[in-house]
Amino acid sequence: MSGRAWGVLFVLCGAIFLEGIDVAMLNVALPSIREDLDMSTGMLQWVMSAYVLGYGGFMLLGGRAADLFGRRQMFVFWLVVFLLFSGLGGFATEGWMLIVARFVTGVAAAFMTPAGLSIITTSFDEGPQRNKALLVYSGTAAGGFSIGLVVGGLLAAINWRWVFFAPVILSLLILIAAIALIPKSPRPDRTGQGVDLAGAISVTGGILLLVFGVERATHASAAWTTGTIAASLVLFLIFIAVERKAASPLVRLGIFRNSSLVRANLAGLLFASGFFGFQFIAVLYLQELRGWSTLQTSFALIVIGVDAILSPTLTPKLVAKFGNARVIFGGLLLAALSYALFLPVGADWTYMAMFPSLIILGLAFSLAYGPLTIVATDGIAEEEQGVAGGLLYTSFQFGAALGLSSVAAVNIAATDGTSPAALLDGYQAALVVPLVAALIAVVISAFGLRSRAGADDAGPTEIPGPIEHAEASR
């Protein structure tokens, strides 16, 4: 790769690192925020849920916007919005101010992230160069989350507001580098490609309601949750009807004929569900049952961040030798093994007893996350790379929300009392959820092994673009 290409990759890695560290730092700062702003548990939960709602709800629209209005333009503009509202969150004096700031920050990330990913997939030739770039990119994302756990604990110990101010400084540096290094490109030719407003409203509304329903499942009645999810499904049906007739659809339905893309999105959703659900229960176990401090918990979990080292070093060699499909399959198998090893967790486990699960999970992440990103964008026409990235990150985000809500619901149902034994029973029951999610993902990914060396997922044939074969979606 040329020096300019490495510079572009450096900027985009900085942005995905920013997104990861921003989320992780906030996770460990929540107790301090609650104490300072006198927030109830329900309102505190919305500090996290508002970001997930904005991020997951607008991701698909963000991906399409990058394709229609220019990837660099969308990346730079929404990076500025991310910077501004992250800073505003640090000045919040009421809980609702913080929640609004987090929602808009999530929306900004939803437009910025697929734009950044599509810049990579359109800047590097499909094959080894793009694979290497995407694996470095995914490793950086993992590193941001791991480092954020520790940095967030340190900043929260000083003042929780620095958890919001620190990303502003990093955002400003990335913005300056982006303007200097990411090359300007001509505005996309949008002839005959108007904005699909009806499709955008229906799918964004459907995703928002679905994520909202899943996020609130443990805090609302079954009837309310069922009604919310049913309303989201109605909007999705409307979206499909609109897309079938639209001259310039938001998402060309024919893109789902790419079996590798569909398989990668389903596996990614389940992998994220298990990964974030497991971390949630692990944190509760260490802090509630074992009495570990926020900083001790952060350092305990940082070993999962080994994927930041392995993704750009080990994973490319494995992909080159075995193909994406086999590497993904191996990563998902290791994730299932990690959760299974932690399942019999005891009230007095030493850290060394937990270590195998944590290190194996880090290895699993390094094998699965990057190759899933490659498979979900390989063979997709350039004018649809933003949509492909938006689909993948929507799957990851919805999977995270689904995993968190599911383990929380099982944990609450299985915990009978506040004794250590009752807490442990709840954790052990909830840990079954990540294991089941990982096993289903293994089954789905196994279908990618049917061709020799996973060639099916290593580089699928490019599907027709929306202009050349508009009828493919009908």
Side-chain angles (χ1 to χ4, degrees):
M1 291 189 287
S2 66
R4 182 64 174 266
W6 275 111
V8 171
L9 182 59
F10 171 77
V11 171
L12 299 174
C13 284
I16 199 67
F17 178 85
L18 169 68
E19 194 272 328
I21 200 171
D22 177 78
V23 172
M25 288 195 302
L26 183 59
N27 275 337
V28 296
L30 288 176
S32 300
I33 294 172
R34 168 158 52 186
E35 182 179 355
D36 192 29
L37 298 184
D38 192 26
M39 298 176 70
S40 66
T41 300
M43 181 170 277
L44 187 70
Q45 185 259 350
W46 269 107
V47 175
M48 291 299 297
S49 295
Y51 182 87
V52 171
L53 203 60
Y55 198 168
F58 287 85
M59 183 71 74
L60 196 55
L61 182 59
R64 184 57 175 158
D67 291 333
L68 284 178
F69 303 110
R71 299 176 178 100
R72 182 183 187 271
Q73 293 92 319
M74 287 290 99
F75 179 81
V76 170
F77 175 79
W78 288 102
L79 178 57
V80 172
V81 176
F82 188 99
L83 182 158
L84 291 175
F85 278 85
S86 182
L88 287 174
F91 289 109
T93 56
E94 299 286 343
W96 68 266
M97 297 179 185
L98 191 55
I99 290 169
V100 171
R102 291 306 294 169
F103 177 77
V104 179
T105 305
V107 173
F111 281 83
M112 184 176 71
T113 303
L117 178 60
S118 61
I119 289 173
I120 293 178
T121 56
T122 56
S123 298
F124 297 91
D125 293 334
E126 190 171 302
Q129 275 200 348
R130 184 189 292 179
N131 291 354
K132 184 177 181 179
L134 288 174
L135 292 171
V136 170
Y137 183 73
S138 62
T140 307
F145 188 82
S146 303
I147 293 171
L149 290 172
V150 177
V151 174
L154 292 171
L155 291 176
I158 302 170
N159 190 308
W160 65 265
R161 296 183 187 276
W162 276 104
V163 169
F164 294 91
F165 295 147
V168 172
I169 300 170
L170 183 56
S171 299
L172 186 58
L173 295 174
I174 295 170
L175 178 62
I176 294 170
I179 294 172
L181 295 175
I182 298 179
K184 293 182 179 180
S185 56
R187 283 185 173 274
D189 181 8
R190 298 198 298 273
T191 304
Q193 297 188 62
V195 178
D196 179 14
L197 189 59
I201 292 173
S202 57
V203 74
T204 301
I207 294 173
L208 282 171
L209 284 177
L210 189 58
V211 174
F212 183 59
V214 169
E215 275 291 302
R216 298 295 297 167
T218 56
H219 307 279
S221 66
W224 185 94
T225 301
T226 302
T228 303
I229 293 177
S232 77
L233 294 179
V234 170
L235 285 175
F236 282 129
L237 291 175
I238 294 173
F239 169 70
I240 291 172
V242 169
E243 298 308 279
R244 289 181 64 87
K245 296 182 179 180
S248 179
L250 180 70
V251 179
R252 184 178 60 86
L253 298 182
I255 198 172
F256 295 107
R257 294 179 181 176
N258 186 316
S259 61
S260 298
L261 176 144
V262 173
R263 191 161 48 245
N265 277 271
L266 289 174
L269 185 151
L270 290 163
F271 180 71
S273 177
F275 183 80
F276 285 98
F278 172 82
Q279 285 205 14
F280 179 74
I281 294 300
V283 168
L284 291 182
Y285 165 75
L286 292 174
Q287 294 191 0
E288 289 187 348
L289 184 62
R290 303 302 298 277
W292 289 22
S293 69
T294 299
L295 204 54
Q296 285 176 311
T297 303
S298 299
F299 277 113
L301 297 180
I302 198 172
V303 66
I304 300 175
V306 69
D307 57 340
I309 300 171
L310 297 179
S311 288
T313 55
L314 174 64
T315 307
K317 296 176 182 177
L318 295 177
V319 167
K321 185 173 183 179
F322 299 108
N324 285 304
R326 289 182 177 177
V327 174
I328 292 170
F329 183 76
L332 295 174
L333 274 178
L334 286 176
L337 175 62
S338 168
Y339 305 144
L341 289 175
F342 208 84
L343 202 57
V345 62
D348 57 352
W349 265 26
T350 63
Y351 181 66
M352 290 311 297
M354 309 173 210
F355 186 80
S357 286
L358 302 179
I359 192 70
I360 291 173
L361 184 57
L363 178 58
F365 197 102
S366 69
L367 296 183
Y369 184 72
L372 281 171
T373 306
I374 295 170
V375 171
T377 54
D378 262 5
I380 304 299
E382 182 172 329
E383 61 267 27
E384 293 185 311
Q385 283 292 328
V387 169
L391 284 170
L392 180 65
Y393 282 110
T394 298
S395 297
F396 281 141
Q397 199 65 27
F398 178 65
L402 183 63
L404 289 168
S405 295
S406 299
V407 297
V410 173
N411 180 45
I412 291 169
T415 303
D416 185 17
T418 57
S419 68
L423 292 176
L424 188 60
D425 287 342
Y427 300 146
Q428 289 177 335
L431 285 168
V432 174
V433 175
L435 178 59
V436 171
L439 290 174
I440 296 174
V442 167
V443 173
I444 291 173
S445 68
F447 287 95
L449 302 175
R450 66 183 182 273
S451 57
R452 185 173 60 86
D456 172 34
D457 281 339
T461 303
E462 184 170 333
I463 59 177
I467 299 174
E468 294 80 4
H469 294 281
E471 292 302 315
S473 66
R474 306 189 189 283

